[in-house]
């Protein structure tokens, strides 16, 4: 459902923007977020995910896909080619993490 709402918002059918990610604990994105951020509390995960997305100048839904891909055996691209990505996103993420 999240992906459908993101697509409808991006296509301009509705003015939709996710205020935060929802981590239910059982899906791949939740597991990845717990490992990456080193905590298990949902509220802290949501805050850290939102802070990372903002500091990296990324849409929150891009972080959701990245977390999913972190845990997935097969990478989800949602139809986008690797070359279509923002070349500086890696640098912004590293800077926002202090790496």
């Amino acid at each position: 459902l999240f992906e459908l709402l993101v697509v409808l918002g991006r296509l301009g059918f509705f003015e939709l923007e996710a205020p935060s990610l929802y981590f239910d604990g059982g899906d791949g994105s939740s597991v990845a977020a717990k490992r990456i951020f080193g905590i298990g509390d949902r509220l802290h995960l949501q805050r850290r995910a939102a802070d990372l997305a903002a500091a990296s100048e990324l849409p929150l839904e891009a972080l959701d896909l990245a977390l999913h891909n972190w845990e997935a055996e097969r990478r989800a691209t949602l139809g986008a080619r690797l070359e279509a990505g923002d070349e500086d996103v890696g640098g912004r993420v590293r800077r926002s993490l202090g790496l």
Side-chain angles (χ1 to χ4, degrees):
L1 183 60
F2 179 76
E3 290 82 7
L4 174 62
L5 294 175
V6 167
V7 169
L8 291 174
R10 289 290 175 170
L11 291 175
F13 287 104
F14 301 100
E15 287 189 32
L16 296 172
E17 188 174 324
S20 67
L21 296 179
Y22 177 75
F23 298 110
D24 67 1
D27 66 325
S29 296
S30 296
V31 173
K34 288 177 184 180
R35 289 181 178 168
I36 291 168
F37 296 122
I39 54 173
D41 179 69
R42 271 190 227 172
L43 292 176
H44 284 102
L45 287 174
Q46 289 172 335
R47 184 178 47 81
R48 287 190 182 178
D51 290 348
L52 177 59
S56 304
E57 301 172 22
L58 290 171
L60 202 51
E61 59 266 21
L63 182 59
D64 181 60
L65 179 61
L67 290 170
H68 169 80
N69 281 335
W70 182 280
E71 277 298 306
E73 288 182 27
R74 184 169 179 194
R75 187 176 165 85
T77 63
L78 304 180
R81 294 185 322 271
L82 184 58
E83 307 84 47
D86 180 346
E87 292 181 16
D88 190 44
V89 72
R92 290 195 315 265
V93 170
R94 282 189 292 280
R95 284 190 298 278
S96 68
L97 292 171
L99 301 175

